């Protein structure tokens, strides 16, 4: 169905509510789509060369928040991601932070408030501004320290940009995280090890490590199809991932989710909301939310996003209300991404389902393969199972999908 025919479901403005954490959000994600350059591998909702539209976008974002929220709501974690939020000029960044402060109430002493940044955007002015509005965590899109890898990924920073950005960020924030990418064509184990060592040497608190995936319709995908780029083979990818886990754990880091590692006490609370299967608000181009048992996503078309909001309509492209059974199965799949896995009692309390009655056949199958550990109240991926997480999680969701009725897709 053309996207134009699928927008705008009716959704009431929500008064400030409470309810179980799976139902009513205590977290919010805000998407800022602007980037200086569209990197070859990226399939996020991003806009380049669109500086003139920043204020229109912020108008629309404000309108979207006002449509969803009848009054300010209390949250425990906030995450402004993108795109590149740090790319915003200082006055626009201030406007965004003021808008967030109007719609969301939080305790400055307890909140986790993250903003994503590119190393070359990090200036004292911007960091001071972020801190003034309560931001206490910076997530830097570093990807690599090696010039060759950065060139391949079309990232326009270098080692000294990263070093300068991290040093400044550590002076302002209690948590600094880096994104790194492995399985880049041509990257060796020694190259990847050097990246990990550099990251640790900078004294950051958290690392998100992603394998490079060739997403359809990206510039990189086109190059792979033309035979100009040979993707990293599965064996190398597995070797690099296994090394990540072994090396970081040996350095005392906690591997708390498939792609995420933290120094003790620095796991991201915001991201753990997603993996617990809990509710969260989301605003902005292409943003996806989970509120009151319904998952919905905004359009990725800027034209539609702006025009719908000018008309006072929500720019929702897809919406799906989960049956209790599918919600429980999805919760299991998400929680298996955590190294601590699923706690049976907590799962029953959150979903109303007994894990073994719901997913007994899936659990038996993957225990038999050695991919799941089942110790008393806890079920989690085994060391081997981590490499097959996608298969196990997809089986969980498929098992819950049989009674699912698709919700309204407008
Ligand atoms: S900077 Fe990040 S969000 Fe922007 S295009 Fe590159 S990878 Fe995508």
């Amino acid at each position: 169905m053309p996207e134009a025919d699928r927008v705008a479901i009716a959704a009431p403005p929500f008064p400030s509510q409470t309810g179980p954490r799976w139902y009513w959000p205590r977290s919010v994600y805000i998407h800022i789509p602007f980037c200086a350059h569209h990197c070859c591998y990226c399939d996020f909702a991003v806009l380049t060369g669109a500086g003139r539209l920043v204020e229109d976008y912020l108008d629309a974002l404000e309108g979207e928040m006002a449509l969803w929220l009848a009054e300010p709501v209390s949250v425990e974690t906030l995450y402004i991601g993108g795109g590149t939020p740090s790319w915003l000029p200082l006055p626009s960044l201030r406007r965004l932070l003021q808008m967030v402060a109007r719609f969301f109430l939080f305790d400055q002493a307890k909140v986790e408030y993250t903003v994503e940044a590119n190393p070359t955007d990090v200036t004292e002015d911007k960091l001071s501004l972020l801190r003034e509005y309560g931001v206490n965590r910076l997530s830097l899109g570093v990807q690599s320290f090696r010039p060759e890898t950065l060139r391949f990924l079309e990232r326009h920073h270098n080692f000294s940009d990263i070093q300068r950005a991290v040093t400044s960020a550590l002076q302002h924030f209690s948590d600094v995280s880096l994104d790194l990418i492995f399985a880049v064509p041509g990257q060796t184990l020694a190259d990847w090890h050097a990246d990990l060592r550099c990251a640790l040497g900078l004294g950051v608190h958290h690392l998100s490590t992603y394998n490079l995936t060739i997403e359809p319709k990206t510039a990189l995908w086109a190059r792979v199809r033309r035979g100009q780029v040979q993707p990293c083979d599965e064996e190398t990818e597995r070797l690099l991932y296994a090394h990540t886990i072994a090396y970081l754990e040996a350095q005392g880091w906690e591997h708390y989710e498939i792609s995420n590692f933290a120094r003790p006490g620095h796991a991201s609370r915001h991201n753990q909301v997603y993996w617990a299967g809990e509710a969260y608000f989301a605003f902005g181009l292409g943003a996806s939310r989970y509120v009151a048992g319904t998952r919905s996503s905004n359009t990725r078309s800027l034209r539609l996003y702006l025009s719908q909001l000018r008309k006072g309509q929500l720019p929702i492209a897809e919406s799906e209300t989960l049956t209790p059974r599918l919600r429980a199965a999805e919760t299991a799949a998400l929680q298996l991404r955590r190294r601590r896995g699923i706690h049976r009692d907590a799962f029953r309390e959150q979903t109303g389902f007994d894990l073994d009655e719901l997913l007994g056949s899936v659990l038996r199958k993957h225990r038999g393969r050695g991919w799941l550990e089942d110790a008393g109240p806890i079920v989690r991926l085994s060391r081997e199972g981590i490499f097959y997480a996608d298969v196990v999680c997809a089986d969980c969701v498929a098992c819950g999908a049989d009674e699912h009725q698709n919700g309204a897709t407008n």
Side-chain angles (χ1 to χ4, degrees):
M1 190 186 295
E3 197 170 17
D5 296 336
R6 293 196 274 126
V7 293
I9 63 162
F14 286 112
S16 197
Q17 290 190 13
T18 54
R21 300 183 84 90
W22 70 264
Y23 181 84
W24 184 248
R26 274 88 168 166
S27 294
V28 56
Y29 172 80
I30 295 156
H31 189 76
I32 302 300
F34 302 98
C35 286
H37 166 77
H38 199 146
C39 308
C40 61
Y41 58 94
C42 179
D43 78 335
F44 295 154
V46 298
L47 304 168
T48 53
R52 70 191 187 288
L53 294 171
V54 166
E55 293 305 312
D56 287 348
Y57 185 77
L58 293 181
D59 289 345
L61 195 59
E62 192 164 10
E64 189 189 4
M65 290 180 189
L67 283 174
W68 274 99
L69 305 171
E71 57 194 54
V73 294
S74 295
V75 289
E76 296 169 5
T77 71
L78 303 98
Y79 196 108
I80 302 181
T84 314
S86 61
W87 183 85
L88 291 179
L90 205 63
S92 305
L93 190 58
R94 182 183 293 281
R95 182 181 168 199
L96 170 67
L97 295 166
Q98 285 172 340
M99 185 193 305
V100 172
R102 268 204 316 282
F103 283 96
F104 301 98
L105 310 171
F106 53 89
D107 180 341
Q108 294 247 6
K110 294 186 185 156
V111 73
E112 180 187 279
Y113 190 166
T114 304
V115 172
E116 287 182 349
N118 256 3
T120 47
D121 295 332
V122 170
T123 61
E124 277 302 313
D125 283 357
K126 286 189 180 173
L127 295 188
S128 300
L129 181 67
L130 294 176
R131 212 168 77 164
E132 185 187 331
Y133 282 88
V135 174
N136 52 18
R137 186 170 182 275
L138 201 73
S139 175
L140 284 164
V142 163
Q143 318 314 349
S144 177
F145 294 86
R146 296 183 66 249
E148 298 83 356
T149 309
L150 288 168
R151 222 174 1 256
F152 181 91
L153 296 172
E154 301 177 357
R155 303 303 297 243
H156 300 143
H157 51 255
N158 58 33
F159 184 88
S160 48
D161 294 328
I162 300 167
Q163 198 172 33
R164 186 190 51 75
V166 172
T167 305
S168 303
L170 287 170
Q171 285 164 9
H172 286 270
F173 305 111
S174 50
D175 276 281
V176 177
S177 177
L178 306 186
D179 284 358
L180 295 177
I181 293 184
F182 66 94
V184 178
Q187 185 185 41
T188 64
L189 179 59
D191 296 337
W192 176 233
H193 180 73
D195 273 350
L196 292 171
R197 276 194 59 182
C198 281
L200 265 53
L202 289 176
V204 297
H205 309 90
H206 186 279
L207 290 177
S208 297
T209 63
Y210 302 108
N211 58 329
L212 181 66
T213 48
I214 316 290
E215 300 293 349
K217 305 209 173 115
T218 58
L220 181 57
W221 177 78
R223 274 189 246 155
V224 169
R225 273 172 53 111
R226 288 197 295 266
Q228 295 165 335
V229 169
Q230 183 68 37
C232 179
D233 61 82
E234 271 182 34
E235 202 179 319
T236 307
E237 190 174 319
R238 182 181 163 129
L239 178 76
L240 298 177
Y241 181 45
H243 180 72
T244 313
I245 299 169
Y247 176 63
L248 293 177
E249 286 188 344
Q251 301 299 312
W253 283 56
E254 183 194 352
H255 181 200
Y256 71 100
E257 191 269 348
I258 288 172
S259 304
N260 285 276
F261 300 81
R263 292 189 194 274
H266 292 275
S268 161
R269 282 161 51 207
H270 183 85
N271 289 345
Q272 289 186 88
V273 166
Y274 301 145
W275 304 317
E278 294 177 353
Y280 50 92
F281 293 115
F283 302 92
L285 191 70
S288 298
R289 66 192 63 76
Y290 180 41
V291 180
T294 296
R295 293 195 187 283
S296 62
S297 302
N298 286 349
T299 176
R300 289 170 64 111
S301 153
L302 180 70
R303 186 182 55 76
L304 272 179
Y305 182 78
L306 297 179
S307 66
Q308 288 297 121
L309 284 160
R310 271 191 210 112
K311 287 187 270 180
Q313 294 172 351
L314 287 172
I316 292 175
E318 289 180 352
S319 172
E320 182 181 45
T321 300
L322 307 185
T323 61
R325 185 181 165 89
L326 183 58
R327 181 173 70 78
E330 282 199 12
T331 300
L334 289 164
Q335 293 187 355
L336 277 175
R337 293 183 61 91
R338 312 182 299 196
R339 285 303 290 127
R340 66 188 159 100
I342 307 170
H343 191 292
R344 284 188 163 86
D345 296 343
F347 182 82
R348 190 182 302 107
E349 195 175 321
Q350 178 174 343
T351 66
F353 283 81
D354 180 274
L355 181 68
D356 299 278
E357 282 172 21
L358 179 73
L359 296 174
S361 59
V362 175
L363 301 185
R364 272 192 301 282
K365 179 166 107 182
H366 295 303
R367 263 198 316 257
R369 290 171 158 172
W371 294 355
L372 286 178
E373 290 171 358
D374 200 340
I378 305 285
V379 180
R380 64 176 206 154
L381 292 169
S382 66
R383 290 252 161 208
E384 180 66 12
I386 292 172
F387 297 97
Y388 301 97
D390 289 349
V391 177
V392 180
C393 294
D395 273 1
C396 291
V397 175
C399 191
D402 52 358
E403 286 180 13
H404 178 64
Q405 295 161 1
N406 213 345
T409 298
N410 296 276

